Coordinates of all heavy atoms in Angstrom, one line a residue:
M1 N -55.5 -1.5 11.9 CA -54.1 -1.7 12.5 C -53.7 -0.5 13.3 O -53.8 0.6 12.9 CB -53.1 -1.9 11.4 CG -52.3 -3.2 11.6 SD -51.2 -3.5 10.2 CE -50.2 -4.8 10.9
T2 N -53.3 -0.8 14.5 CA -52.9 0.3 15.4 C -51.4 0.7 15.2 O -50.7 -0.1 14.5 CB -53.1 -0.1 16.9 OG1 -52.3 -1.2 17.1 CG2 -54.5 -0.4 17.2
I3 N -51.0 1.8 15.7 CA -49.6 2.2 15.5 C -48.6 1.2 16.1 O -47.7 0.8 15.4 CB -49.4 3.6 16.0 CG1 -50.3 4.6 15.3 CG2 -47.9 4.0 16.0 CD1 -49.9 4.8 13.8
P4 N -48.8 0.8 17.3 CA -47.9 -0.2 17.9 C -47.8 -1.5 17.1 O -46.7 -2.1 16.9 CB -48.4 -0.5 19.3 CG -49.2 0.7 19.6 CD -49.8 1.2 18.3
A5 N -48.9 -1.9 16.5 CA -48.9 -3.1 15.7 C -48.1 -2.9 14.4 O -47.3 -3.8 14.0 CB -50.4 -3.5 15.3
I6 N -48.2 -1.8 13.8 CA -47.4 -1.5 12.6 C -46.0 -1.4 13.0 O -45.1 -2.0 12.3 CB -47.9 -0.1 12.0 CG1 -49.3 -0.3 11.4 CG2 -46.9 0.3 10.9 CD1 -50.0 1.0 11.1
F7 N -45.7 -0.8 14.1 CA -44.3 -0.7 14.6 C -43.7 -2.1 14.8 O -42.6 -2.4 14.4 CB -44.3 0.2 15.8 CG -42.9 0.4 16.3 CD1 -42.0 1.3 15.7 CD2 -42.4 -0.2 17.5 CE1 -40.7 1.5 16.1 CE2 -41.1 0.0 17.9 CZ -40.3 0.8 17.3
L8 N -44.5 -2.9 15.5 CA -44.1 -4.3 15.8 C -43.8 -5.1 14.5 O -42.8 -5.7 14.4 CB -45.1 -5.0 16.7 CG -44.7 -6.4 17.2 CD1 -43.6 -6.3 18.2 CD2 -45.9 -7.1 17.8
A9 N -44.7 -4.9 13.6 CA -44.6 -5.6 12.3 C -43.3 -5.2 11.6 O -42.6 -6.0 11.0 CB -45.8 -5.4 11.5
Y10 N -43.1 -3.9 11.7 CA -41.9 -3.3 11.1 C -40.6 -3.9 11.7 O -39.7 -4.3 11.0 CB -41.9 -1.8 11.2 CG -40.7 -1.1 10.7 CD1 -40.5 -0.9 9.3 CD2 -39.7 -0.6 11.5 CE1 -39.4 -0.3 8.8 CE2 -38.6 0.1 11.1 CZ -38.4 0.2 9.7 OH -37.3 0.8 9.3
V11 N -40.6 -3.9 13.0 CA -39.4 -4.4 13.7 C -39.2 -5.9 13.4 O -38.1 -6.4 13.1 CB -39.6 -4.2 15.3 CG1 -38.5 -5.0 16.0 CG2 -39.5 -2.7 15.6
V12 N -40.3 -6.7 13.4 CA -40.2 -8.1 13.1 C -39.7 -8.3 11.7 O -38.8 -9.1 11.5 CB -41.6 -8.8 13.3 CG1 -41.6 -10.2 12.7 CG2 -41.9 -8.9 14.8
L13 N -40.2 -7.5 10.8 CA -39.7 -7.6 9.4 C -38.3 -7.3 9.3 O -37.5 -8.0 8.6 CB -40.6 -6.7 8.5 CG -41.9 -7.3 7.9 CD1 -42.7 -6.2 7.2 CD2 -41.6 -8.5 7.0
L14 N -37.9 -6.2 10.0 CA -36.5 -5.8 9.9 C -35.6 -6.9 10.5 O -34.5 -7.2 9.9 CB -36.3 -4.5 10.8 CG -35.0 -3.7 10.5 CD1 -35.1 -3.1 9.1 CD2 -34.9 -2.6 11.6
L15 N -36.0 -7.5 11.6 CA -35.2 -8.6 12.2 C -35.1 -9.8 11.3 O -34.1 -10.4 11.1 CB -35.8 -9.0 13.6 CG -35.5 -8.0 14.7 CD1 -36.2 -8.5 16.0 CD2 -34.0 -8.0 15.0
A16 N -36.2 -10.1 10.7 CA -36.3 -11.2 9.7 C -35.3 -11.0 8.6 O -34.6 -11.9 8.1 CB -37.7 -11.4 9.2
A17 N -35.3 -9.7 8.1 CA -34.5 -9.4 6.9 C -33.0 -9.5 7.4 O -32.2 -10.0 6.6 CB -34.8 -8.0 6.5
L18 N -32.7 -9.0 8.6 CA -31.3 -9.1 9.0 C -30.9 -10.5 9.2 O -29.8 -10.9 8.9 CB -31.2 -8.3 10.4 CG -31.1 -6.8 10.3 CD1 -31.1 -6.2 11.7 CD2 -29.8 -6.4 9.5
T19 N -31.8 -11.3 9.8 CA -31.5 -12.7 9.9 C -31.2 -13.4 8.6 O -30.3 -14.2 8.4 CB -32.6 -13.5 10.7 OG1 -32.9 -12.8 11.9 CG2 -32.3 -14.9 11.0
G20 N -32.1 -13.1 7.6 CA -31.9 -13.6 6.3 C -30.6 -13.2 5.7 O -29.9 -14.1 5.1
V21 N -30.2 -12.0 5.8 CA -29.0 -11.5 5.3 C -27.8 -12.2 6.0 O -26.8 -12.6 5.3 CB -28.9 -10.0 5.4 CG1 -27.4 -9.5 5.2 CG2 -29.8 -9.3 4.5
G22 N -28.0 -12.4 7.3 CA -26.9 -13.1 8.1 C -26.7 -14.5 7.6 O -25.6 -14.9 7.4
I23 N -27.8 -15.2 7.4 CA -27.8 -16.6 7.0 C -27.2 -16.6 5.6 O -26.3 -17.5 5.2 CB -29.2 -17.2 7.0 CG1 -29.6 -17.4 8.5 CG2 -29.2 -18.6 6.3 CD1 -31.0 -17.8 8.6
Y24 N -27.6 -15.7 4.7 CA -27.2 -15.7 3.4 C -25.7 -15.5 3.3 O -24.9 -16.2 2.6 CB -27.9 -14.6 2.6 CG -27.5 -14.4 1.2 CD1 -27.8 -15.4 0.2 CD2 -26.7 -13.3 0.8 CE1 -27.5 -15.2 -1.1 CE2 -26.3 -13.2 -0.6 CZ -26.7 -14.1 -1.5 OH -26.3 -14.0 -2.8
S25 N -25.2 -14.5 4.0 CA -23.7 -14.2 4.0 C -23.0 -15.3 4.6 O -21.9 -15.6 4.2 CB -23.5 -12.9 4.7 OG -23.8 -13.0 6.1
E26 N -23.5 -16.0 5.6 CA -22.8 -17.1 6.2 C -22.7 -18.3 5.2 O -21.7 -18.9 5.1 CB -23.6 -17.6 7.4 CG -23.1 -18.9 8.1 CD -21.8 -18.6 8.8 OE1 -21.4 -17.4 9.1 OE2 -21.1 -19.5 9.2
M27 N -23.8 -18.5 4.4 CA -23.7 -19.5 3.4 C -22.7 -19.1 2.3 O -22.0 -20.0 1.8 CB -25.1 -19.7 2.8 CG -26.0 -20.5 3.7 SD -27.8 -20.4 3.2 CE -27.7 -21.6 1.8
R28 N -22.7 -17.9 1.9 CA -21.8 -17.4 0.9 C -20.3 -17.6 1.4 O -19.4 -18.0 0.7 CB -22.0 -15.9 0.6 CG -23.2 -15.6 -0.2 CD -22.9 -16.0 -1.7 NE -21.8 -15.2 -2.2 CZ -21.9 -14.0 -2.8 NH1 -23.1 -13.5 -3.0 NH2 -20.8 -13.4 -3.3
R29 N -20.1 -17.3 2.7 CA -18.8 -17.4 3.3 C -18.4 -18.9 3.3 O -17.2 -19.2 3.0 CB -18.8 -16.9 4.7 CG -17.5 -16.5 5.3 CD -17.7 -15.7 6.6 NE -18.3 -16.5 7.6 CZ -17.6 -17.4 8.3 NH1 -16.3 -17.6 8.1 NH2 -18.2 -18.1 9.2
R30 N -19.3 -19.8 3.5 CA -18.9 -21.2 3.5 C -18.6 -21.7 2.1 O -17.8 -22.5 1.9 CB -20.1 -22.1 4.1 CG -20.1 -22.0 5.6 CD -21.2 -22.8 6.2 NE -21.3 -22.5 7.7 CZ -22.3 -23.0 8.4 NH1 -23.2 -23.8 7.9 NH2 -22.4 -22.7 9.7
D31 N -19.4 -21.2 1.1 CA -19.1 -21.5 -0.2 C -17.8 -21.0 -0.7 O -17.1 -21.6 -1.5 CB -20.2 -20.9 -1.2 CG -21.5 -21.8 -1.2 OD1 -21.5 -22.9 -0.6 OD2 -22.5 -21.3 -1.8
F32 N -17.4 -20.0 -0.1 CA -16.2 -19.3 -0.5 C -14.9 -19.9 0.1 O -13.8 -19.4 -0.2 CB -16.2 -17.8 -0.2 CG -15.2 -17.0 -0.9 CD1 -15.2 -16.9 -2.3 CD2 -14.2 -16.3 -0.2 CE1 -14.3 -16.2 -3.0 CE2 -13.3 -15.6 -0.9 CZ -13.3 -15.5 -2.3
K33 N -15.0 -20.9 0.8 CA -13.8 -21.5 1.5 C -12.8 -21.9 0.4 O -13.2 -22.3 -0.7 CB -14.2 -22.7 2.3 CG -14.7 -23.9 1.5 CD -14.8 -25.1 2.5 CE -15.4 -26.3 1.8 NZ -16.8 -26.2 1.4
P34 N -11.5 -21.6 0.7 CA -10.5 -21.8 -0.3 C -10.5 -23.2 -0.9 O -10.3 -24.2 -0.2 CB -9.2 -21.5 0.4 CG -9.5 -21.6 1.9 CD -11.0 -21.2 2.0
S35 N -10.8 -23.3 -2.2 CA -10.9 -24.6 -2.8 C -9.4 -25.1 -3.0 O -8.5 -24.3 -3.2 CB -11.5 -24.5 -4.2 OG -10.9 -23.5 -4.9
P36 N -9.3 -26.4 -2.8 CA -7.9 -26.9 -3.0 C -7.3 -26.6 -4.3 O -7.9 -26.9 -5.4 CB -8.1 -28.5 -2.8 CG -9.6 -28.7 -3.0 CD -10.2 -27.4 -2.6
S37 N -6.2 -26.0 -4.3 CA -5.6 -25.5 -5.5 C -5.0 -26.7 -6.3 O -4.4 -27.6 -5.7 CB -4.5 -24.5 -5.2 OG -3.9 -24.1 -6.4
E38 N -5.1 -26.6 -7.6 CA -4.5 -27.6 -8.5 C -3.1 -27.3 -8.8 O -2.4 -28.1 -9.4 CB -5.3 -27.7 -9.8 CG -6.8 -28.2 -9.6 CD -6.8 -29.7 -9.1 OE1 -6.0 -30.5 -9.5 OE2 -7.6 -29.9 -8.1
D39 N -2.7 -26.1 -8.4 CA -1.3 -25.7 -8.8 C -0.3 -26.6 -8.1 O -0.5 -27.1 -7.0 CB -1.1 -24.3 -8.3 CG -1.7 -23.3 -9.3 OD1 -2.4 -23.7 -10.2 OD2 -1.6 -22.1 -9.0
R40 N 0.8 -26.8 -8.7 CA 1.9 -27.5 -8.2 C 2.7 -26.7 -7.2 O 2.9 -25.5 -7.4 CB 2.8 -28.1 -9.3 CG 2.1 -29.1 -10.1 CD 3.1 -29.8 -11.0 NE 2.6 -31.2 -11.2 CZ 3.3 -32.1 -11.9 NH1 4.5 -31.8 -12.4 NH2 2.8 -33.3 -12.1
I41 N 3.3 -27.3 -6.2 CA 4.1 -26.6 -5.3 C 5.5 -26.9 -5.5 O 5.9 -28.1 -5.7 CB 3.7 -27.0 -3.8 CG1 2.2 -26.6 -3.6 CG2 4.6 -26.3 -2.8 CD1 1.6 -27.2 -2.3
F42 N 6.3 -25.9 -5.5 CA 7.8 -26.0 -5.7 C 8.5 -25.5 -4.5 O 8.0 -24.5 -3.9 CB 8.2 -25.3 -7.0 CG 7.6 -25.8 -8.2 CD1 6.4 -25.3 -8.7 CD2 8.3 -26.7 -9.0 CE1 5.8 -25.8 -9.8 CE2 7.7 -27.2 -10.2 CZ 6.4 -26.8 -10.6
R43 N 9.6 -26.1 -4.2 CA 10.5 -25.6 -3.1 C 11.9 -25.6 -3.6 O 12.4 -26.6 -4.0 CB 10.3 -26.4 -1.9 CG 11.1 -25.8 -0.7 CD 10.9 -26.6 0.6 NE 11.6 -26.0 1.7 CZ 12.9 -26.0 1.9 NH1 13.7 -26.7 1.1 NH2 13.4 -25.4 2.9
C44 N 12.4 -24.4 -3.6 CA 13.8 -24.3 -4.1 C 14.8 -24.7 -3.1 O 14.8 -24.2 -2.0 CB 14.0 -22.8 -4.5 SG 15.7 -22.5 -5.1
P45 N 15.6 -25.7 -3.4 CA 16.6 -26.2 -2.4 C 17.7 -25.2 -2.2 O 18.4 -25.3 -1.2 CB 17.1 -27.5 -3.0 CG 16.9 -27.3 -4.5 CD 15.7 -26.5 -4.7
D46 N 17.9 -24.3 -3.1 CA 19.0 -23.4 -3.0 C 18.7 -22.3 -2.0 O 19.5 -22.0 -1.1 CB 19.4 -22.8 -4.4 CG 20.3 -23.8 -5.1 OD1 20.4 -24.9 -4.7 OD2 20.9 -23.3 -6.1
C47 N 17.6 -21.6 -2.2 CA 17.2 -20.5 -1.4 C 16.1 -20.7 -0.5 O 15.7 -19.9 0.3 CB 16.9 -19.3 -2.3 SG 15.5 -19.4 -3.3
G48 N 15.4 -21.9 -0.6 CA 14.4 -22.3 0.3 C 13.0 -21.6 0.0 O 12.1 -21.7 0.7
Y49 N 13.0 -21.0 -1.2 CA 11.7 -20.3 -1.5 C 10.7 -21.3 -1.9 O 10.9 -22.2 -2.7 CB 12.0 -19.3 -2.7 CG 10.9 -18.4 -3.1 CD1 10.4 -17.5 -2.2 CD2 10.4 -18.5 -4.4 CE1 9.3 -16.7 -2.6 CE2 9.3 -17.7 -4.8 CZ 8.8 -16.8 -3.9 OH 7.8 -16.0 -4.2
V50 N 9.5 -21.1 -1.4 CA 8.4 -22.0 -1.8 C 7.4 -21.2 -2.6 O 7.0 -20.1 -2.3 CB 7.7 -22.5 -0.5 CG1 6.5 -23.4 -0.9 CG2 8.6 -23.3 0.4
Y51 N 7.0 -21.8 -3.7 CA 6.1 -21.1 -4.6 C 5.3 -22.1 -5.4 O 5.5 -23.3 -5.3 CB 6.9 -20.2 -5.6 CG 7.9 -21.0 -6.4 CD1 7.7 -21.3 -7.8 CD2 9.1 -21.4 -5.9 CE1 8.6 -22.0 -8.5 CE2 10.1 -22.1 -6.6 CZ 9.8 -22.4 -7.9 OH 10.7 -23.1 -8.7
T52 N 4.3 -21.6 -6.1 CA 3.4 -22.5 -6.9 C 3.5 -22.1 -8.4 O 3.8 -21.0 -8.7 CB 1.9 -22.4 -6.4 OG1 1.5 -21.1 -6.6 CG2 1.8 -22.8 -4.9
D53 N 3.1 -23.1 -9.2 CA 3.0 -22.8 -10.6 C 1.9 -23.6 -11.2 O 1.3 -24.4 -10.5 CB 4.4 -23.1 -11.3 CG 4.6 -22.3 -12.5 OD1 3.6 -21.9 -13.1 OD2 5.8 -22.1 -12.9
D54 N 1.7 -23.4 -12.5 CA 0.5 -24.1 -13.1 C 0.7 -25.6 -13.0 O 1.8 -26.2 -13.0 CB 0.5 -23.7 -14.6 CG 0.2 -22.3 -14.8 OD1 -0.4 -21.7 -13.8 OD2 0.5 -21.7 -15.8
P55 N -0.4 -26.4 -13.0 CA -0.4 -27.8 -12.8 C 0.2 -28.6 -14.0 O 0.6 -29.7 -13.9 CB -1.8 -28.2 -12.6 CG -2.6 -27.1 -13.1 CD -1.8 -25.9 -13.0
D56 N 0.4 -27.9 -15.1 CA 0.8 -28.6 -16.3 C 2.3 -28.4 -16.6 O 2.9 -28.8 -17.6 CB 0.1 -28.1 -17.6 CG 0.2 -26.6 -17.8 OD1 0.5 -25.9 -16.8 OD2 -0.1 -26.2 -18.9
V57 N 3.0 -27.8 -15.6 CA 4.5 -27.7 -15.7 C 5.1 -28.7 -14.8 O 4.7 -28.8 -13.6 CB 5.0 -26.2 -15.5 CG1 4.4 -25.3 -16.6 CG2 4.6 -25.8 -14.1
D58 N 6.2 -29.3 -15.3 CA 6.9 -30.3 -14.4 C 8.0 -29.6 -13.7 O 8.3 -30.0 -12.5 CB 7.5 -31.4 -15.3 CG 6.4 -32.4 -15.8 OD1 5.4 -32.5 -15.1 OD2 6.5 -32.9 -16.9
R59 N 8.6 -28.7 -14.3 CA 9.7 -27.9 -13.7 C 9.4 -26.5 -13.8 O 8.9 -26.0 -14.8 CB 11.0 -28.3 -14.3 CG 11.3 -29.8 -14.5 CD 12.7 -30.0 -15.1 NE 13.6 -29.9 -14.0 CZ 15.0 -29.9 -14.2 NH1 15.4 -29.8 -15.4 NH2 15.8 -29.8 -13.2
S60 N 9.7 -25.8 -12.7 CA 9.5 -24.3 -12.7 C 10.7 -23.6 -12.1 O 11.4 -24.1 -11.3 CB 8.3 -24.1 -11.8 OG 8.0 -22.7 -11.8
R61 N 10.9 -22.4 -12.7 CA 12.0 -21.6 -12.3 C 11.7 -20.8 -11.1 O 10.7 -20.2 -11.0 CB 12.4 -20.7 -13.5 CG 13.8 -20.1 -13.4 CD 14.2 -19.4 -14.7 NE 14.4 -20.4 -15.8 CZ 15.6 -21.0 -16.0 NH1 16.5 -20.9 -15.1 NH2 15.7 -21.8 -17.0
C62 N 12.7 -20.9 -10.2 CA 12.5 -20.1 -8.9 C 12.6 -18.7 -9.2 O 13.5 -18.2 -9.9 CB 13.7 -20.5 -8.0 SG 13.7 -19.5 -6.5
S63 N 11.6 -17.9 -8.7 CA 11.6 -16.5 -9.0 C 12.6 -15.7 -8.2 O 12.7 -14.5 -8.4 CB 10.1 -16.0 -8.8 OG 9.7 -16.1 -7.5
Q64 N 13.2 -16.4 -7.2 CA 14.1 -15.7 -6.3 C 15.6 -15.8 -6.9 O 16.3 -14.9 -6.9 CB 14.1 -16.3 -4.9 CG 12.7 -16.0 -4.2 CD 12.5 -14.6 -3.9 OE1 13.3 -13.9 -3.2 NE2 11.4 -14.0 -4.5
C65 N 15.9 -17.1 -7.3 CA 17.3 -17.2 -7.7 C 17.4 -17.8 -9.1 O 18.5 -17.9 -9.7 CB 18.1 -18.2 -6.7 SG 17.4 -19.8 -6.7
G66 N 16.3 -18.2 -9.7 CA 16.3 -18.6 -11.1 C 16.6 -20.1 -11.3 O 16.7 -20.6 -12.5
K67 N 16.7 -20.9 -10.3 CA 17.0 -22.3 -10.4 C 15.8 -23.1 -10.8 O 14.7 -22.8 -10.3 CB 17.6 -22.8 -9.1 CG 17.9 -24.3 -9.1 CD 18.4 -24.7 -7.7 CE 18.4 -26.2 -7.5 NZ 19.3 -26.9 -8.5
L68 N 16.0 -24.0 -11.7 CA 14.9 -24.9 -12.1 C 14.6 -26.0 -11.0 O 15.6 -26.6 -10.6 CB 15.1 -25.6 -13.5 CG 14.7 -24.8 -14.7 CD1 15.1 -25.6 -15.9 CD2 13.2 -24.6 -14.7
N69 N 13.4 -26.1 -10.6 CA 13.1 -27.1 -9.5 C 12.0 -28.0 -10.0 O 11.1 -27.7 -10.8 CB 12.6 -26.3 -8.3 CG 13.7 -25.4 -7.8 OD1 14.8 -25.8 -7.4 ND2 13.4 -24.1 -7.8
E70 N 12.1 -29.3 -9.4 CA 11.0 -30.2 -9.6 C 9.9 -30.0 -8.7 O 10.1 -29.4 -7.6 CB 11.6 -31.6 -9.3 CG 12.8 -32.0 -10.1 CD 12.5 -32.5 -11.5 OE1 11.3 -32.8 -11.7 OE2 13.4 -32.5 -12.4
A71 N 8.7 -30.3 -9.1 CA 7.5 -30.1 -8.3 C 7.5 -31.1 -7.1 O 8.0 -32.2 -7.2 CB 6.2 -30.3 -9.1
I72 N 7.0 -30.6 -6.0 CA 6.9 -31.5 -4.8 C 5.6 -32.4 -5.0 O 4.6 -31.9 -5.3 CB 6.7 -30.7 -3.5 CG1 7.9 -29.8 -3.3 CG2 6.4 -31.6 -2.4 CD1 7.8 -28.9 -2.1
E73 N 5.8 -33.7 -4.9 CA 4.7 -34.7 -5.0 C 4.3 -35.1 -3.6 O 5.1 -35.3 -2.8 CB 5.2 -35.9 -5.8 CG 5.7 -35.6 -7.2 CD 4.6 -35.1 -8.2 OE1 3.4 -35.3 -7.8 OE2 4.9 -34.6 -9.2
F74 N 3.0 -35.2 -3.4 CA 2.5 -35.6 -2.1 C 2.1 -37.1 -2.1 O 1.6 -37.5 -3.1 CB 1.3 -34.8 -1.7 CG 1.7 -33.3 -1.4 CD1 1.4 -32.3 -2.3 CD2 2.4 -33.0 -0.2 CE1 1.8 -31.0 -2.0 CE2 2.7 -31.7 0.1 CZ 2.5 -30.7 -0.8
Ligands
ZN101 ZN1 15.6 -20.3 -5.4

């Protein structure tokens, strides 16, 4: 093996590794897309504050003014 051949092989391997890392991170990024949250959404009619709470609560207290609010149903 000549020096240029070794150098070329090194560059090709490096590019292949970088491409692999790029594809891998792209796949990771796609997997990481925000999954639809199960949390309930509340909107306080008094102060207009929008917040979420656990899906098993029907009413949640507004953290801004303390008013109990019903969950928004879609
Ligand atoms: Zn409020």
Side-chain angles (χ1 to χ4, degrees):
M1 233 178 167
T2 61
I3 297 295
I6 292 169
F7 183 73
L8 184 68
Y10 176 76
V11 168
V12 167
L13 274 174
L14 198 70
L15 282 175
L18 282 174
T19 305
V21 168
I23 290 169
Y24 178 72
S25 62
E26 178 70 15
M27 286 167 73
R28 285 284 301 268
R29 204 167 60 81
R30 283 183 189 171
D31 278 354
F32 193 64
K33 66 173 176 290
S35 57
S37 174
E38 295 296 317
D39 283 1
R40 290 191 152 186
I41 300 169
F42 298 86
R43 187 180 182 279
C44 181
D46 277 15
C47 65
Y49 185 61
V50 178
Y51 56 102
T52 60
D53 207 334
D54 295 336
D56 57 341
V57 295
D58 287 329
R59 309 186 79 194
S60 181
R61 197 170 288 279
C62 174
S63 61
Q64 295 293 301
C65 66
K67 180 181 163 59
L68 269 179
N69 300 300
E70 304 279 344
I72 296 172
E73 303 288 346
F74 291 103

